[in-house]
Each structure stands twice: as C-alpha cells, then as structure tokens.
Amino acid sequence: RTDGGAAAHPFFGRLRRDNYEEVVKALMGDPRPDPILIPAVLTDENMPDVATDYHTAASSLLRICHACSLLLQQRRLVKNAPAFVASAAQYALTVTLPMPHLDTNVCFWRKSPMRRETQTNLLFLIRRMCRIYSAATSSVQQSRGLVGIRTTAFACAACVADAIARVKCIDDPSPFS
C-alpha cells in the first residue's frame, strides 16, 4: 500500500535513501592510516656546543636544519613543534656559531684558511637556518621577549654571514671578499 500522493510523484522513490549509513561510508572511502612520526634529533652528544672548526660548524648547522625541517613538517603530530624549532634555531645561530672578532689572530672565521666550497656551504646553511627560524617564530605566540631575541638571533646570523663573506678563499676568491 502507498501514500495517496505517490501517484502524483512517481519518481520520488529514487531520492529515498533507506541505506543512508552505507552510502555515506562508501562516499567517505577507506579511513586514512595513522601518520608515521619520524623522530627528530635536536641534540647530539658527539657535537660540541660551540663549533671548533669549519667542518663542525657546517655539520652542526646541517643537522639542526634537517631536524628543524622535519619537526616543522610534523607540527600537527608534535605538540609545540614550532617552539622547539625556534629554540633549536636560536641556539644554533647565537651559541653554536662563534661570533667574529676584530683581531684576525683570534677570530674563528679568519684564523685558518677557508675554501670557496666551505664558504658557500656555510652561507647557504645560515640562510636556511634563518628561514626556518623566521617560520618557527611566526608560528608561536608573539611577545616582546620573542621580538627581542628574534632580532638578536638575526643580528648574530648577519654578523657571522658578514664575517664568512669577507674571508678571502684560498682556491677561488670571490670579487665580493
């Protein structure tokens, strides 16, 4: 037996969904697999706190850049990931890289010869670390202290990059230096 108005609308039955739950599940598809969390190592017992030579400086920067990039990619999985990244990048820019000195005999960046490849690599890594630091500090809550330390970290990066750029390389000196 049908309703009295069914004769007036004979194709209305096509719009009925008696199996609504099954239709919705079919449209949703299979559930997504759980994301894979890759651990990011920000500390290393074998690396010194302050770089002792160019290789150590480049290696420390590269390791921290990789770990910070990985953490920023997993920011939905790791709680407070931008804060961890900002802290690690700030430490790398202000502590790990020694500040330049006026005396060439004492200055870390001018006391030993540097190759052009090392100079380019260090400048690239400092630029990458600054980009990571900028992205991380833009993702955390802003405060006066954060603005101050961000300015200080970028100033340290600029000082070190200037000292590296002014070094005359032993194999292929740039016209800039």
Side-chain angles (χ1 to χ4, degrees), residues 47-52 56-57 60-61 64 87-100 108-109 129 149 152-153 156-157 160:
M47 297 300 282
D49 291 338
V50 180
T52 55
T56 309
S60 296
L61 278 180
I64 294 174
S87 176
Q90 171 192 324
Y91 185 83
L93 292 173
T94 57
V95 176
T96 302
L97 298 177
M99 289 296 115
F108 172 80
W109 303 107
M129 185 59 69
I149 193 63
T152 304
C156 290
V160 171

Side-chain angles (χ1 to χ4, degrees), residues 2-174:
T2 61
D3 295 331
H9 302 288
F11 298 114
F12 189 70
R14 294 181 182 176
L15 298 176
R16 283 185 55 187
R17 293 284 183 212
D18 293 331
N19 60 348
Y20 181 74
E21 295 295 324
E22 294 175 18
V23 170
V24 169
K25 287 181 183 176
L27 290 174
M28 286 175 36
D30 296 330
R32 288 185 180 170
D34 289 337
I36 298 173
L37 181 64
I38 303 171
V41 180
L42 291 174
T43 58
D44 189 2
E45 298 168 353
N46 300 328
M47 297 300 282
D49 291 338
V50 180
T52 55
D53 59 346
Y54 301 140
H55 177 71
T56 309
S59 178
S60 296
L61 278 180
L62 187 63
R63 285 179 183 211
I64 294 174
C65 280
H66 286 321
C68 289
S69 296
L70 183 62
L71 266 178
L72 283 179
Q73 291 295 324
Q74 298 179 1
R75 65 183 172 270
R76 290 196 175 116
L77 303 175
V78 179
K79 192 173 186 179
N80 298 325
F84 290 136
V85 169
S87 176
Q90 171 192 324
Y91 185 83
L93 292 173
T94 57
V95 176
T96 302
L97 298 177
M99 289 296 115
H101 196 274
L102 289 175
D103 188 10
T104 57
N105 298 327
V106 178
C107 181
F108 172 80
W109 303 107
R110 291 184 281 175
K111 69 181 177 183
S112 59
M114 184 184 294
R115 292 177 26 201
R116 177 66 180 251
E117 156 199 16
T118 308
Q119 182 185 37
T120 307
N121 188 29
L122 283 169
L123 290 173
F124 169 78
L125 288 171
I126 290 173
R127 183 184 73 176
R128 184 174 172 201
M129 185 59 69
C130 286
R131 286 182 176 181
I132 289 170
Y133 186 60
S134 177
T137 54
S138 297
S139 300
V140 296
Q141 186 175 2
Q142 302 295 311
S143 67
R144 286 184 181 176
L146 178 67
V147 170
I149 193 63
R150 183 172 47 205
T151 305
T152 304
F154 283 136
C156 290
C159 278
V160 171
D162 181 60
I164 294 171
R166 291 177 186 267
V167 171
K168 292 192 179 193
C169 299
I170 56 173
D171 56 349
D172 183 23
S174 69

